């Protein structure tokens, strides 16, 4: 029971608990012969090449584009994400977004008409930048991609020899190296190389593939994603500026769809013209061919029979009555009488 204290007397303080000294930690036992210690990571250097890539898109992209964007973020540990940009905003606003995110490279996916996909690769804020049309997109989630790689591992970059032959391809090669290569000693990266990014030029387009390197026989198995980049323009600045190169082989999707519609319409018009020509041929007047005088050469005329004129009226034939008719009538009468008697 708590003791009552008198007025004016100081309150009695409870006794404090004595602090016990912490027990000395037990000495760590050395690993036994059957135990194994996990070695520390190999990459313990300093992260010097601080490349950061911002990967985001505009509003209105399809589900396939969203999966492609997520796959690139997964394969690139030095990437950052941001919310979708409004389509009403101008593209130079992306430079400010990259500055706020502390990124010096950018991959921006721009969707138009809910069916066309464009990709911007830019070195912010000074440039250069390149605009591509993205075609034939296949993501990591598809069943055809049977390969696999470690999350955050550093890739090898393999380029077609054609990248060194022309100046605009050489510029794109340097841009791809700075964007897609994972910096050494990055905090989120793994110190392993187990997959390779390939950039191949075929049919005036750049084909991107991602392959796993199998250690046993050094063969390649595709991981994904895969897509084709059709170059449109290369600009001196970031998301704009003077045009350094314009692809003469590029055909816009609107023009391609227009040519397809025109070809279908031309086939339809051709069918209609054939039908009209057949109708005119049927309803047209037939051309009379002149008689050939040599047609009667092999005809043999029949012998002419003498015409006989009958002057006497021929005799009328006698009328022969049917003898079986009265017998039928008599049989019918007999049947009636037999029925009445019964």
């Amino acid at each position: 029971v708590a003791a009552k204290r008198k007025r004016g007397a100081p309150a009695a303080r409870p006794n404090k608990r004595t602090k016990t000294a912490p027990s000395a930690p037990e000495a760590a036992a050395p690993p036994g012969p059957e135990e194994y210690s996990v070695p520390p990571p190999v990459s313990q250097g300093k992260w010097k090449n601080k490349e950061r890539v911002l990967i985001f898109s505009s509003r209105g992209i399809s589900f396939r584009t969203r999966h492609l964007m997520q796959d690139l973020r997964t394969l690139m540990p030095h990437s950052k994400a941001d919310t979708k940009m409004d389509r009403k905003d101008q593209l130079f606003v992306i430079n400010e977004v990259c500055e706020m995110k502390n990124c010096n490279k950018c991959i921006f996916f721009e969707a138009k008409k809910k069916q066309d996909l464009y990709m911007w690769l830019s070195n912010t804020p000074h440039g250069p930048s390149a605009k591509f049309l993205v075609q034939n997109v296949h993501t990591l989630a598809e069943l055809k991609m049977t390969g696999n790689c470690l999350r955050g591992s550093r890739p090898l970059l393999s380029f077609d020899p054609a990248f060194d032959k022309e100046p605009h391809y050489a510029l794109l090669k340097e841009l791809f190296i700075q964007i897609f290569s994972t910096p050494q000693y990055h905090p989120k990266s793994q110190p392993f190389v187990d997959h390779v990014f390939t950039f191949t030029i075929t049919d005036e387009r750049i084909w991107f593939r991602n392959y796993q390197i199998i250690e046993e026989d050094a063969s390649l198995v595709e991981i994904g994603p895969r897509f084709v980049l059709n170059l449109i323009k290369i600009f001196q600045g970031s998301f704009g500026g003077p045009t350094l190169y314009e692809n003469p082989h590029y055909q816009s999707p609107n023009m391609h769809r227009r040519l397809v519609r025109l070809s279908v319409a031309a086939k339809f018009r051709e069918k209609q013209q054939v039908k009209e020509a057949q109708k005119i041929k049927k309803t047209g007047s037939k051309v009379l061919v002149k008689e050939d005088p040599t047609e009667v050469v092999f005809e043999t005329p029949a012998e002419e029979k003498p015409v006989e004129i009958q002057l006497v009226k021929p005799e009328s034939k006698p009328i022969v009555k049917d003898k079986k008719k009265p017998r039928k009538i008599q049989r019918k009468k007999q049947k009636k009488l037999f029925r009445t008697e019964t």
Side-chain angles (χ1 to χ4, degrees):
V1 181
K4 295 182 180 180
R5 71 181 180 87
K6 296 179 182 180
R7 291 182 179 179
R13 295 182 179 179
N15 297 328
K16 294 183 179 179
R17 295 180 181 178
T18 58
K19 296 182 179 179
T20 58
S23 60
E26 298 179 358
E34 296 182 356
E35 297 180 0
Y36 299 95
S37 60
V38 179
V42 180
S43 60
Q44 294 180 346
K46 190 176 180 181
W47 177 30
K48 296 180 181 179
N49 181 20
K50 297 191 176 182
E51 295 282 353
R52 300 180 183 90
V53 182
L54 180 64
I55 302 177
F56 72 119
S57 68
S58 65
R59 297 196 179 275
I61 61 173
S62 62
F63 72 98
R64 191 177 290 274
T65 307
R66 188 174 65 252
H67 282 272
L68 174 63
M69 186 170 58
Q70 190 61 37
D71 293 345
L72 290 178
R73 289 173 182 169
T74 305
L75 292 171
M76 300 166 65
H78 61 293
S79 64
K80 288 189 176 182
D82 194 21
T83 57
K84 295 179 181 178
M85 194 181 74
D86 195 355
R87 285 182 290 184
K88 295 180 181 179
D89 295 338
Q90 299 294 328
L91 291 177
F92 62 82
V93 180
I94 301 175
N95 295 325
E96 300 178 4
V97 178
C98 292
E99 186 178 357
M100 288 188 292
K101 288 286 183 178
N102 196 18
C103 296
N104 52 3
K105 299 290 185 297
C106 180
I107 299 177
F108 178 67
F109 292 95
E110 184 180 8
K112 291 185 179 180
K113 294 187 176 182
K114 296 183 179 181
Q115 55 183 342
D116 301 331
L117 178 62
Y118 298 91
M119 178 192 284
W120 285 83
L121 300 179
S122 176
N123 181 18
T124 58
H126 303 295
S129 59
K131 185 180 181 181
F132 301 91
L133 174 67
V134 186
Q135 299 170 329
N136 302 335
V137 177
H138 297 276
T139 59
L140 273 170
E142 297 189 9
L143 297 177
K144 294 179 181 178
M145 314 298 182
T146 57
N148 194 8
C149 66
L150 184 66
R151 185 185 179 93
S153 60
R154 301 179 67 236
L156 292 174
L157 299 185
S158 173
F159 290 93
D160 194 286
F163 276 96
D164 299 326
K165 295 180 180 178
E166 297 186 19
H168 61 279
Y169 282 141
L171 178 61
L172 291 177
K173 179 180 177 180
E174 184 63 29
L175 195 61
F176 288 147
I177 290 172
Q178 295 184 14
I179 290 177
F180 287 96
S181 62
T182 303
Q184 194 176 11
Y185 306 127
H186 191 277
K188 294 183 180 179
S189 66
Q190 298 289 340
F192 306 105
V193 177
D194 59 352
H195 63 112
V196 54
F197 291 159
T198 63
F199 299 88
T200 311
I201 298 175
T202 306
D203 194 20
E204 304 296 335
R205 290 169 175 82
I206 301 173
W207 300 64
F208 175 85
R209 295 289 185 270
N210 181 21
Y211 295 99
Q212 175 194 359
I213 303 173
I214 300 177
E215 296 180 0
E216 287 77 9
D217 53 353
S219 61
L220 299 178
V221 180
E222 188 169 1
I223 304 173
R226 59 159 69 173
F227 51 87
V228 179
L229 299 177
N230 191 0
L231 178 63
I232 302 174
K233 284 184 181 181
I234 300 176
F235 300 96
Q236 183 177 354
S238 178
F239 297 97
T243 303
L244 298 179
Y245 176 78
E246 184 174 359
N247 188 7
H249 306 284
Y250 171 72
Q251 187 182 61
S252 66
N254 294 331
M255 181 62 67
H256 178 70
R257 287 190 287 268
R258 179 175 176 272
L259 294 176
V260 171
R261 288 196 300 268
L262 289 176
S263 64
V264 173
K267 289 181 181 178
F268 179 74
R269 283 197 301 270
E270 186 177 354
K271 288 182 180 179
Q272 293 295 326
Q273 290 175 0
V274 171
K275 288 182 180 179
E276 290 177 359
Q278 290 176 353
K279 286 182 181 179
I280 294 171
K281 189 176 180 181
K282 289 179 181 179
T283 57
S285 59
K286 296 181 180 180
V287 180
L288 296 176
V289 183
K290 295 181 179 180
E291 293 183 358
D292 190 3
T294 60
E295 285 184 356
V296 295
V297 172
F298 298 100
E299 289 183 1
T300 54
E303 296 181 356
E304 294 183 359
K305 296 181 180 180
V307 180
E308 295 182 357
I309 299 173
Q310 193 172 3
L311 301 175
V312 182
K313 184 179 178 181
E315 296 180 357
S316 59
K317 294 181 179 179
I319 299 170
V320 180
K321 293 183 179 181
D322 190 4
K323 294 180 180 180
K324 295 180 180 180
K325 194 172 183 179
R327 292 180 184 177
K328 291 180 182 178
I329 296 170
Q330 190 176 2
R331 286 175 187 172
K332 286 181 182 180
K333 288 180 180 180
Q334 288 177 357
K335 286 181 182 179
K336 286 181 182 180
L337 288 172
F338 178 74
R339 288 174 186 171
T340 52
E341 287 177 358
T342 55

